[in-house]
């Protein structure tokens, strides 16, 4: 099974600039004005244009909002130097939501992109999650 990452955005060119700068991703394929494939991670990231206020699905009354929002699923980007990654992402337009925290397994930086999506930078230390595994 392969994993694809799809991220809704309301401004494709802004999203390409952000994800290219913040995560060092590059454009693979373009799908007209509908979206773009970004490469350079362990899974391709697809930026899909969905206008604010449009229905999130046919089974809910929720509409898309690009204000900061919470979702139970988010992306973690594993990096070698969390401080440098945070600085690069903030310069690109991300927001650091809490200071970088060190845990037994590594460092964590909770962030938000310019489209309201939460993500984290993770820098593993020692044996990473094995430090806390049973």
């Amino acid at each position: 099974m392969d994993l694809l990452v799809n991220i809704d955005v309301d401004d494709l060119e802004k999203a390409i600039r952000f994800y290219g700068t913040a995560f060092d991703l590059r454009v693979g394929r373009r799908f007209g004005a509908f979206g773009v494939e970004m490469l350079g991670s362990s899974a391709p990231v697809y930026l899909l244009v969905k206008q604010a206020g449009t229905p999130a699905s046919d089974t809910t009354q929720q509409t898309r909002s690009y204000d900061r929002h919470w979702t139970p699923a988010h992306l973690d980007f594993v990096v070698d130097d969390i401080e440098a990654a945070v600085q690069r992402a903030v310069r690109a337009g991300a927001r650091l939501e809490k200071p970088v925290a060190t845990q037994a397994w590594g460092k964590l930086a909770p962030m938000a992109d310019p489209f309201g999506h939460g993500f984290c930078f993770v820098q593993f230390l020692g044996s990473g999650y094995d430090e806390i595994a049973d």
Side-chain angles (χ1 to χ4, degrees):
M1 175 186 319
D2 291 329
L3 176 68
L4 303 177
V5 176
N6 294 293
I7 301 174
D8 291 356
V9 299
D10 62 346
D11 183 328
L12 187 58
E13 294 308 313
K14 178 180 174 183
I16 291 168
R17 284 190 306 275
F18 174 75
Y19 281 88
T21 302
F23 305 109
D24 202 26
L25 300 178
R26 65 188 181 289
V27 173
R29 297 177 290 171
R30 286 186 174 265
F31 306 102
F34 167 75
V36 67
E37 174 186 62
M38 302 292 287
L39 303 173
S41 182
S42 56
V45 175
Y46 292 87
L47 304 174
L48 306 176
V49 176
K50 307 285 184 174
Q51 293 307 311
T54 59
S57 80
D58 292 339
T59 61
T60 181
Q61 297 296 318
Q62 291 179 320
T63 58
R64 287 180 179 84
S65 168
Y66 294 104
D67 296 325
R68 179 63 173 107
H69 55 274
W70 179 86
T71 179
H74 69 272
L75 302 176
D76 285 346
F77 293 90
V78 179
V79 297
D80 293 328
D81 182 344
I82 199 165
E83 286 80 10
V86 167
Q87 288 176 4
R88 182 174 65 212
V90 167
R91 281 194 306 272
R95 184 175 66 236
L96 178 64
E97 296 192 316
K98 288 185 180 178
V100 176
T102 302
Q103 313 292 330
W105 52 266
K107 296 180 178 183
L108 179 72
M111 310 279 296
D113 78 3
F115 305 94
H117 306 302
F119 69 91
C120 293
F121 283 123
V122 173
Q123 180 182 341
F124 290 119
L125 300 176
S127 58
Y129 287 146
D130 285 343
E131 297 285 344
I132 59 171
D134 293 332

